[in-house]
Amino acid sequence: MALVTIGVPVYNGEGLIGQCLDCLTRQTCADIEIIVSDNASTDRTAAIVRDHASRDARIRLISQPRNIGLMGNFSAVIEAADTPYFILRCHDDLSSDTYVEALLAAMQHQPGARIAVPAVHTFREGRAPKMRMPPGTGGEPSLTSTVELLLRSHQAWFCGLWDIEAVRPVFRRVWAKYDTPWGPDHLLLYPFLMSGQIAAAPDAIFIQRITPKTGAGDYGKPPPRERLAFRRSFLAMCSAFRQEQGITGWHETALSALTWHHAGRIYRMRDILMDRIAGRL
């Protein structure tokens, strides 16, 4: 059995899926399996994956008979994993060749960690590249360290290295109550940010490419009323996570206020109100 599963959910990704698989098969940590879930693509995605799989036995293709939605396809690769560790990789993102190796080293150096997170380099057409380094981690969690993690967290940490037994039940819970592509990455990270179970791997470079997405139904901006409902659901689930971890008193009050601000990274109240005023209900 491999040590790490890299799950690649994809839909109509023929333009970039080959680059993604080339990047993953170059990893210096060879003890991996790569599971691609093709969400009933109508282009050459499946054929490209089969061609790569014919040359590298570590690649396995799951062909969905019908489109099961973005979150359903994410779930498919997580549920198919049968290794101690798991990495999610969107088909349009890349990483350094030492990505898996560096994440594993960080996780093993900090035994209490349940996720190792990378440095994130973001590339968006027409804008200057951005780089976000992970904060220092380790030691007993405190309000100060939790605040730093929450403020400096990046949604691409979702594509770090997970302890599969830790991430799978949280993902199932998030997906069951929060079936939208807007915000589940932040929500999945939230309980681990609260508990400080995060190892920083600054030598692992994640290359996030912001590209136009295929399938407006998966990525289209929800109307204001839906975004407001999602925001409320997001905050309610964050509150439940804090309660389950026994966070109370002034610590809870401070984190509740900060989480209200944190939710604005996904659902800005100003944008919701302006859209409603403009009549985009």
Side-chain angles (χ1 to χ4, degrees), residues 158 212 226 243 265 270 280:
F158 178 58
E226 288 185 24
Q243 291 176 16
R265 298 170 66 178
R270 180 179 180 275
R280 293 189 288 270

Side-chain angles (χ1 to χ4, degrees), residues 118-182:
V120 181
H121 292 200
T122 301
F123 296 86
R124 187 192 298 264
E125 186 176 353
R127 300 188 188 181
K130 293 183 178 180
M131 182 173 71
R132 177 85 63 84
M133 299 299 291
T137 56
E140 289 296 320
S142 64
L143 179 58
T144 300
S145 63
T146 302
V147 167
E148 182 182 23
L149 281 172
L150 198 58
L151 289 176
R152 295 182 61 184
S153 65
H154 194 291
Q155 73 270 24
W157 289 1
F158 178 58
C159 298
L161 178 80
W162 291 91
D163 177 327
I164 190 66
E165 295 303 323
V167 68
R168 188 177 274 141
V170 179
F171 184 89
R172 288 170 180 167
R173 180 177 174 182
V174 169
W175 186 41
K177 294 186 177 181
Y178 201 78
D179 187 12
T180 169
W182 283 69

Side-chain angles (χ1 to χ4, degrees), residues 241-264:
F241 283 134
R242 293 195 304 272
Q243 291 176 16
E244 290 165 10
Q245 292 189 17
I247 299 173
T248 58
W250 65 273
H251 194 159
E252 153 63 20
T253 301
L255 290 179
S256 178
L258 185 60
T259 302
W260 194 92
H261 171 77
H262 181 63

Side-chain angles (χ1 to χ4, degrees), residues 74-272:
F74 280 18
S75 179
V77 291
I78 291 176
E79 296 298 339
D82 188 27
T83 55
Y85 299 107
F86 177 82
I87 292 173
L88 180 75
R89 173 62 55 88
C90 295
H91 81 280
D92 50 358
D93 294 325
L94 300 171
S95 64
S96 56
D97 290 351
T98 59
Y99 188 73
V100 177
E101 182 181 0
L103 289 171
L104 276 170
M107 182 80 87
Q108 293 165 356
H109 182 71
Q110 192 171 320
R114 294 295 175 263
I115 175 175
V117 300
V120 181
H121 292 200
T122 301
F123 296 86
R124 187 192 298 264
E125 186 176 353
R127 300 188 188 181
K130 293 183 178 180
M131 182 173 71
R132 177 85 63 84
M133 299 299 291
T137 56
E140 289 296 320
S142 64
L143 179 58
T144 300
S145 63
T146 302
V147 167
E148 182 182 23
L149 281 172
L150 198 58
L151 289 176
R152 295 182 61 184
S153 65
H154 194 291
Q155 73 270 24
W157 289 1
F158 178 58
C159 298
L161 178 80
W162 291 91
D163 177 327
I164 190 66
E165 295 303 323
V167 68
R168 188 177 274 141
V170 179
F171 184 89
R172 288 170 180 167
R173 180 177 174 182
V174 169
W175 186 41
K177 294 186 177 181
Y178 201 78
D179 187 12
T180 169
W182 283 69
D185 41 10
H186 288 282
L187 198 51
L188 183 65
L189 287 164
Y190 189 84
F192 302 96
L193 297 172
M194 294 299 100
S195 64
Q197 295 175 310
I198 291 181
D203 294 333
I205 309 300
F206 182 80
I207 302 170
Q208 181 186 45
R209 298 190 291 185
I210 308 298
T211 60
K213 304 297 183 182
T214 302
D218 283 343
Y219 296 94
K221 187 178 183 180
R225 191 171 296 169
E226 288 185 24
R227 274 181 280 152
L228 186 58
F230 288 146
R231 179 186 170 97
R232 289 169 177 162
S233 177
F234 183 97
L235 291 170
M237 188 166 284
C238 287
S239 177
F241 283 134
R242 293 195 304 272
Q243 291 176 16
E244 290 165 10
Q245 292 189 17
I247 299 173
T248 58
W250 65 273
H251 194 159
E252 153 63 20
T253 301
L255 290 179
S256 178
L258 185 60
T259 302
W260 194 92
H261 171 77
H262 181 63
R265 298 170 66 178
I266 312 130
Y267 305 106
R268 291 180 61 189
M269 285 300 300
R270 180 179 180 275
D271 291 346
I272 293 172

